[in-house]
């Protein structure tokens, strides 16, 4: 069992280090980007989720549609800005 | 060692695929939802964290209390909106 | 193979339970905090990312710089507030 133990430990560590999906899980971090658009809407890139929005003309009223579109709700808004995040 | 290696690889992959908590870690994504309330406060569901808030009457001043409650700080606010996220 | 199977299963579970980085991956959650500053800027602590911002004087226009600095864009703003998140 001693030899098997040593071989086994090494093997498991190797397999964990090299298998396809394990390292990505271990190293995953919260990664975000910004999208600004000269309209009332700003859309996050595919695969990203909007975590918050900002709007022109000091407007703090917005909602998020379909998980990734910031929609500024004030009557007059010259730009929309989406904060977009994902695990990567 | 060759046989052990083959058996070992297969076994580790099987165990990783079937153990209780591993798959959820590998597949975890950022998952968000919205909560709107006709008051100055909007509370995220249990287990979720507020990542941003929106308020009625164009108000962009807010704070997050207890990790999951959006509190709009303007004098006149007719609704509050919380963006609520978790890993799932 | 039966004995090896039993030894192997136990070993893999032990190794998974005790190796340095696995548990953190499995247990990772979205963890957030708030930073408020009496200026137009609020900076998240190192390692955290801003997911949204709030500003004084009802201002809802902001942008995020360098992944972790909230910058309020209205002319008159007495405070800035950053919602800062990370996986932990």
């Amino acid at each position: 069992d001693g030899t098997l133990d040593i071989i086994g430990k090494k093997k498991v560590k190797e397999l964990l280090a090299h298998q396809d999906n394990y390292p990505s899980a271990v190293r995953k971090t919260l990664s975000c980007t910004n999208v600004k658009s000269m309209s009332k809407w700003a859309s996050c890139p595919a695969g990203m989720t909007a975590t918050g929005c900002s709007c022109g003309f000091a407007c703090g009223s917005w909602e998020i549609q379909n998980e990734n579109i910031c929609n500024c709700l004030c009557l007059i808004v010259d730009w929309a800005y989406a904060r977009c995040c994902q695990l990567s």
Side-chain angles (χ1 to χ4, degrees), chain A:
Chain A
D1 187 42
T3 312
L4 183 64
D5 203 54
I6 293 161
I7 296 170
K9 263 193 194 175
K10 204 169 149 246
K11 195 185 313 308
V12 170
K13 286 189 179 173
E14 272 172 27
L15 286 166
L16 286 176
H18 293 102
Q19 69 167 329
D20 292 343
N21 47 11
Y22 185 77
S24 68
V26 172
R27 290 185 211 127
K28 265 186 179 170
T29 57
L30 186 65
S31 160
C32 304
T33 190
N34 308 313
V35 173
K36 191 175 184 174
S37 147
M38 302 313 283
S39 72
K40 286 192 172 191
W41 294 272
S43 294
C44 292
M48 302 193 89
T49 303
T51 58
C53 312
S54 168
C55 309
F57 276 93
C59 171
S61 298
W62 49 260
E63 59 180 17
I64 293 168
Q65 297 173 331
N66 300 326
E67 294 310 304
N68 66 340
I69 301 171
C70 281
N71 179 18
C72 294
L73 299 173
C74 302
L75 273 183
I76 304 177
V77 169
D78 52 349
W79 53 262
Y81 178 100
R83 182 61 167 170
C84 310
C85 299
Q86 67 182 358
L87 302 193
S88 67

